[in-house]
Amino acid sequence: MTDLSKLYKQTILEHNRNPRNYGRPDHWTHHSEGLNAICGDLVHVYLTIEGDVISAINYDGESCAISMASASMMTEFIKGRAVDDALSKFELFCQLMAKGSDIQRIDALEDVNNLITVKKFPSRIKSATLCWHAMAAAIKGQPTATTE
Amino acid sequence: MLNKQFHRDQFPGLHQEVNGKPLVYLDNAATAQRPQMVLDAINDYYINHNANIHRGVHSLSESATDLYENARKSLAKLLNAPSEKDLIFVRGCTEAVNLVAQTFVRSRVSKGDEILISHLEHHSNIVPWQLLCEQTGAVLKVIPMNDAGELCVDQLDDLLTEKTKFMSVVHVSNALGTINPVKEVVTKAHAKGVPVMLDGAQATPHLKVDVQDLDCDFYTVSGHKMYGPTGSGVLFGKAEHLNAMPPYHGGGEMISKVTFESTVYNAVPAKFEAGTPNIAGGIGLGAAAEFMMSIGMENIEQRDAELRVYAEQALAKVPGLRMLGTAKHKSPVFSFNIEGIHAHDIGTIIDHHGVAVRTGHHCTMPIFEYFGVAGSCRASFAFYNTEQDVDILVESLLKAIEMFK
């Protein structure tokens, strides 16, 4: 199977067809908008934080399949985690996806590692990281986020 | 006469493999490939004539100056400018627009005056005017477009008022390919006494441009879109304007005498060319102009028309494809979306088949806001593209659709 097929067929298209936690919820406590000005990708991330736990996380927006699938996977992975834990996982995800790094897997990221093929398409890495930046920004109370 | 295979063979960049497939280069509106003649001209300068221009008395400096000034003559011929002195070398259209905004228009507008552009503009023909409006209190007005992506010229008479002090309009849209009726636009503006600049970035690679026939006050040319080097371009201005305008940048070459008390500026065009210019770039751009004239712009126009018709028919058969920009007069630029697949995904998938297109908003966000989409896939052709390129584009799009099924 080619890298391209791997990238699209295995994980991305499944999440793209059946997005988890998609859509703007009725209530949330934290929100941020992630925007990639160059490509025009837009993702909104909505969090409900109770105490220090993220009890709900949703997303919507308009972007490519990689960006949408990454957001879908992220919401599944982050839901129910403590705020500090979510932020440390964000740091790990940034390390995993860093352009030029040879890290192929970070066990603590569990199924999120399935996005690793994106690294073979460097121009698309920002598509995968946008929602994570938006999630971290929402926790920090920043209304907007970019991958720049 | 355009010899398809011969002229294609002049472009070494076209003959390579990308991702294991022969390159199908359809991103010409972003930047074109360069013919051997342009590459040779640049090399020849650096190897055989490398010297600074306009100042040395030594032989190399003289021959470098001759090459640079001959390039200016070639561009004047391509644009049918009255004199090569009416052409200023710039880095590209963006710099040309900023130059005109700051040295010609700024002193002519005050609070409440209006500057007119169109809905089809590239950001580089929007933002310099917004900056000028912030500086002066002038107001930016926009000529609308219709659903086909054509300029609503019928609204021009109402939009041109006694407050309108300048108009800047794109000749050919980079995002949609629309060829605007710029001669008519200039005539209408001049009837109200309004000077006009035309953004020719996407026009000179495709159309025979005659600045005297158009009667425009300014015309901008981007070198790298017309097979020349990046960072090269020219601004045409009517001599009466250029002579009256103050310099844009201060520095070397643009002066004739400097004391600590005052400076006497050099004559046009040197007045606007401060500092050592992009000498190799100018020479390469002159070679590009000669190359295009050797093919003949009418031959390029004819080949464009053939490719446009062939591609229009082929793309119409792709299921779920929505074409943005269906102007009657357009260059072979196709902006489209495919139902259910984001443009970036299409771009990545077809790149895997060797097909290079642009995806996104193409620096024309207002156009995509009009169509209610964030961006598009854009396949933009040059005369060296082939019917086979169209076929491979369509095949790769069908594969993308299959993958997303």
Side-chain angles (χ1 to χ4, degrees):
Chain A
M1 193 182 278
T2 65
D3 287 338
L4 182 76
S5 307
K6 271 188 208 159
L7 175 66
Y8 279 98
K9 280 198 172 146
Q10 286 186 339
T11 15
I12 308 259
L13 286 176
E14 199 276 316
H15 276 269
N16 198 44
R17 284 194 199 101
N18 305 300
R20 330 290 202 260
N21 306 303
Y22 185 84
R24 193 165 81 150
D26 294 334
H27 306 284
W28 64 87
T29 59
H30 294 67
H31 161 257
S32 189
E33 174 188 284
L35 182 66
N36 265 342
I38 302 291
C39 359
D41 281 341
L42 176 73
V43 177
H44 290 275
V45 174
Y46 310 89
L47 304 175
T48 298
I49 300 178
E50 294 176 291
D52 69 342
V53 172
I54 299 169
S55 59
I57 173 166
N58 299 75
Y59 76 99
D60 65 2
E62 188 181 337
S63 29
C64 63
I66 293 170
S67 176
M68 288 286 115
S70 177
S72 174
M73 293 162 81
M74 176 189 78
T75 56
E76 281 198 308
F77 181 68
I78 290 297
K79 192 173 172 183
R81 288 182 189 272
V83 165
D84 287 350
D85 185 22
L87 286 176
S88 79
K89 294 297 186 292
F90 164 64
E91 295 299 332
L92 289 178
F93 186 69
C94 289
Q95 287 171 27
L96 179 71
M97 300 306 289
K99 215 182 241 185
S101 87
D102 51 11
I103 301 174
Q104 289 303 310
R105 181 177 174 85
I106 295 177
D107 287 343
L109 290 174
E110 301 169 16
D111 286 353
V112 172
N113 282 295
N114 288 334
L115 278 169
I116 195 68
T117 321
V118 175
K119 248 173 129 173
K120 297 197 167 163
F121 299 83
S123 65
R124 306 304 304 279
I125 290 174
K126 287 177 176 180
S127 299
T129 55
L130 182 64
C131 58
W132 284 81
H133 283 274
M135 184 267 292
I139 291 173
K140 293 171 189 166
Q142 297 159 354
T144 58
T146 71
T147 52
E148 300 310 316
Chain B
M1 182 64 193
L2 193 145
N3 178 331
K4 284 181 214 169
Q5 194 56 47
F6 173 77
H7 284 114
R8 186 176 165 82
D9 287 345
Q10 304 301 303
F11 291 80
L14 292 173
H15 302 280
Q16 61 179 308
E17 290 197 344
V18 169
N19 294 320
K21 303 279 168 51
L23 170 65
V24 174
Y25 189 76
L26 299 177
D27 196 18
N28 294 285
T31 196
Q33 298 292 327
R34 293 151 238 305
Q36 192 62 48
M37 189 170 155
V38 168
L39 304 175
D40 288 346
I42 295 168
N43 263 337
D44 176 56
Y45 161 70
Y46 278 129
I47 293 169
N48 299 313
H49 308 276
N50 188 62
N52 211 329
I53 55 171
H54 294 139
R55 37 200 89 165
V57 293
H58 60 83
S59 302
L60 283 186
S61 176
E62 275 183 29
S63 66
T65 303
D66 285 347
L67 288 173
Y68 193 66
E69 291 306 321
N70 283 338
R72 202 190 301 271
K73 283 179 190 158
S74 297
L75 286 151
K77 201 170 153 199
L78 182 76
L79 300 175
N80 193 31
S83 160
E84 70 273 14
K85 291 190 170 62
D86 304 334
L87 296 186
I88 299 164
F89 275 116
V90 288
R91 283 184 291 153
C93 289
T94 301
E95 186 178 41
V97 174
N98 280 281
L99 188 157
V100 172
Q102 294 299 324
T103 63
F104 182 76
V105 187
R106 187 167 180 171
S107 62
R108 292 170 171 248
V109 293
S110 46
K111 196 171 165 38
D113 285 339
E114 293 172 3
I115 293 158
L116 197 53
I117 59 171
S118 87
H119 203 121
L120 286 151
E121 302 312 320
H122 188 282
H123 294 164
S124 62
N125 201 21
I126 301 173
V127 182
W129 303 113
Q130 289 172 331
L131 289 170
L132 185 70
C133 287
E134 279 172 28
Q135 290 159 347
T136 60
V139 179
L140 195 58
K141 294 270 178 171
V142 181
I143 310 164
M145 68 173 187
N146 63 22
D147 291 347
E150 294 166 320
L151 204 60
C152 298
V153 184
D154 54 327
Q155 297 188 32
L156 202 48
D157 288 327
D158 292 334
L159 284 163
L160 285 160
T161 69
E162 68 281 0
K163 286 184 182 168
T164 314
K165 294 295 187 287
F166 195 75
M167 179 158 80
S168 188
V169 172
V170 67
H171 191 168
V172 175
S173 161
N174 71 307
L176 305 178
T178 310
I179 300 173
N180 284 324
V182 285
K183 192 172 176 181
E184 185 186 351
V185 166
V186 172
T187 305
K188 281 179 184 289
H190 282 179
K192 300 270 180 81
V194 176
V196 182
M197 172 155 62
L198 299 176
D199 168 7
Q202 301 288 339
T204 53
H206 294 288
L207 305 174
K208 187 171 173 62
V209 173
D210 181 334
V211 292
Q212 294 189 73
D213 179 55
L214 292 171
D215 196 30
C216 53
D217 295 272
F218 298 95
Y219 196 94
T220 70
V221 174
S222 165
H224 72 104
K225 311 275 195 206
M226 51 169 274
Y227 320 109
T230 56
S232 72
V234 287
L235 168 68
F236 160 80
K238 283 185 175 172
E240 65 201 82
H241 298 325
L242 295 182
N243 288 325
M245 284 151 62
Y248 184 41
H249 294 142
E253 182 56 28
M254 49 77 70
I255 57 91
S256 63
K257 186 183 176 192
V258 176
T259 67
F260 283 119
E261 286 69 41
S262 68
T263 293
V264 179
Y265 303 126
N266 209 334
V268 172
K271 181 168 75 173
F272 296 102
E273 295 180 357
T276 296
N278 179 1
I279 302 170
I283 291 168
L285 180 51
E290 289 294 335
F291 178 78
M292 293 175 77
M293 288 187 283
S294 76
I295 298 173
M297 289 312 298
E298 50 292 317
N299 292 321
I300 290 176
E301 286 183 21
Q302 192 190 336
R303 182 67 186 136
D304 271 358
E306 288 168 10
L307 284 169
R308 182 173 57 75
V309 170
Y310 188 87
E312 264 170 7
Q313 289 171 352
L315 288 167
K317 291 177 190 152
V318 176
L321 184 143
R322 178 195 178 198
M323 189 68 73
L324 305 175
T326 49
K328 271 190 220 79
H329 300 287
K330 64 178 276 185
S331 64
V333 173
F334 303 95
S335 224
F336 58 85
N337 282 304
I338 293 179
E339 202 183 335
I341 316 180
H342 194 277
H344 298 329
D345 294 315
I346 295 174
T348 294
I349 294 168
I350 69 176
D351 174 55
H352 216 69
H353 298 286
V355 182
V357 297
R358 176 85 179 262
T359 62
H361 53 60
H362 321 305
C363 294
T364 55
M365 289 176 90
I367 291 181
F368 291 98
E369 200 181 345
Y370 177 97
F371 287 115
V373 292
S376 72
C377 258
R378 181 188 66 186
S380 53
F381 289 73
F383 66 85
Y384 48 57
N385 286 118
T386 63
E387 280 76 2
Q388 194 189 6
D389 290 343
V390 177
D391 295 342
I392 295 171
L393 167 68
V394 168
E395 278 167 32
S396 65
L397 291 174
L398 294 175
K399 282 179 182 151
I401 293 169
E402 183 62 31
M403 193 173 251
F404 267 70
K405 251 185 189 163

